[in-house]
Amino acid sequence: MLNTPFPFKRLSSAGSERDSLRVVVFAIADYLFALPVGAVLKVIACPPISSTVESGIGMVDLGTQTITIVDLRQKFISQVQAQQAHQVLSAVDTSGRFLLLTQTRTGEICGIPVDKPPALIDIPLSAVRPVPWSYRQVAELSCVSHMAVLSVAPNEEPLKVLLLGMSQILADKLGLPGTTHQTLALGLTSGEQRQRFLRFSLGNQGSGLLPFHSLLDIFHLASQEISPAPALPSWILGFYNWQGQMLRLVDLEHLLGYAPLLKRQSRPEKPMVLVLELQNQVIGFLVAHVYDVEWQDLQQAQSAPTDFSPNKLLNFVRGILPGDRWILDTRAIAQTLQWQTH
């Protein structure tokens, strides 16, 4: 089913598996969405949806199993169409539609109804970019942090594909506590806990890990671009004009107990800013170097030694992975930022 012709354009990529992302692309209203291929269990003809609610959450019977339906079409069609769609909530027309089955990080199987057969394509990582923060707020795309901009043909407008994770959609729809955007790949169990991280320099020899799904942007920073902020902790450098909003800049290593990055004798010529969204806060973290993006199995993590220096770092660490990779606790970091700046 996934190899059927894509209804808009047949896309392809000659990139290797290392520099591309294989995804399943599907259309809803005027948007194109994509899920990692490992997160898609199956695509089937959509059976009758027995019930649904105004938010788009419903149920469908698949043999002996009843699963949750997340109808994204109700989120993106116009208000008039939405009112018409909600007039008959107990008998949703699914003729000619397809059901994309995926699995949340907790192992629950969920379905996304789509109007046309989805397509299997490779997206170059170079085409992936953050969705502007202000656009996400206006378009109510809180479940999407990144998109791919794909060239189709000369003189044609590029296609924009929104990359999403099923767990976050459910959290947004059902009002559950925030979950990671990582979905379970087919064949993985929840115990393996594989997650994708951005790795960057931390201290003299080690490296830090932050969840890749929280990353909105990366850019070089010149110190003269920082607007100072008096009467704040020394690890808050000031503010930076990012996409039209004043972004708070935090010296991440200094927050974790190391010497201030910009005051070292061996300070980097072009430090990097990592823009992350942590618990509804958009923060810019200044680091010396960014290394790569990598998958890690959290089962391999070990506890941090209690006698480590700087000792303050231990308050912000979830564990240590082989290769001196420190998994940072984003919840602890976000809470510290809230306490110190309010």
Side-chain angles (χ1 to χ4, degrees), residues 299-332:
Q299 283 190 324
Q300 299 181 15
Q302 304 292 323
S303 299
T306 57
D307 58 349
F308 184 82
S309 180
N311 188 260
K312 183 180 179 182
L313 174 62
L314 303 182
N315 298 324
F316 302 98
V317 171
R318 296 174 55 194
I320 305 177
L321 288 167
D324 203 18
R325 288 164 163 80
W326 294 68
I327 308 171
L328 299 186
D329 187 340
T330 55
R331 183 181 296 272

Side-chain angles (χ1 to χ4, degrees), residues 24 33 37 81 95 125 207 247 261 285 295 305:
V24 175
F33 293 93
V37 65
Q81 291 174 304
S95 58
L125 293 180
S207 56
L247 179 72
L261 182 61
F285 293 102
W295 288 94

Side-chain angles (χ1 to χ4, degrees), residues 86-141:
H86 297 155
Q87 288 177 358
V88 183
L89 300 181
S90 59
V92 180
D93 182 16
T94 59
S95 58
R97 302 183 75 189
F98 297 86
L99 189 64
L100 190 151
L101 299 180
T102 185
Q103 193 172 24
T104 70
R105 189 167 174 267
T106 61
E108 179 185 1
I109 297 178
C110 299
I112 304 176
V114 296
D115 294 330
K116 299 177 182 180
L120 180 63
I121 69 171
D122 291 320
I123 290 179
L125 293 180
S126 59
V128 177
R129 64 186 66 176
V131 178
W133 173 255
S134 56
Y135 180 81
R136 291 173 58 195
Q137 301 306 301
V138 174
E140 296 185 354
L141 291 172

Side-chain angles (χ1 to χ4, degrees), residues 25 38-39 44 53 69 72 87 89 92 115 125 139 163 171 189-190 202 221-222 233 259 261 269-271 319 334:
V25 179
I44 63 175
V53 295
I69 293 296
L72 295 179
Q87 288 177 358
L89 300 181
V92 180
D115 294 330
L125 293 180
L163 310 177
T189 64
S190 58
L202 182 63
L221 180 75
L261 182 61
E269 293 184 4
K270 293 183 177 181

Side-chain angles (χ1 to χ4, degrees), residues 201-207 253 258 264 266 291 308-309 324:
S201 58
L202 182 63
N204 296 326
Q205 297 179 338
S207 56
E253 290 197 31
Y258 293 93
R264 300 176 190 172
S266 58
Y291 294 137
F308 184 82
S309 180
D324 203 18

Side-chain angles (χ1 to χ4, degrees), residues 221 226-229 233-239 249-251 254 260 262 286:
L221 180 75
I226 302 175
S227 301
S234 58
W235 38 263
I236 297 182
L237 301 173
F239 296 90
L249 290 180
V250 173
D251 184 338
H254 190 28
L262 298 181
L286 192 71

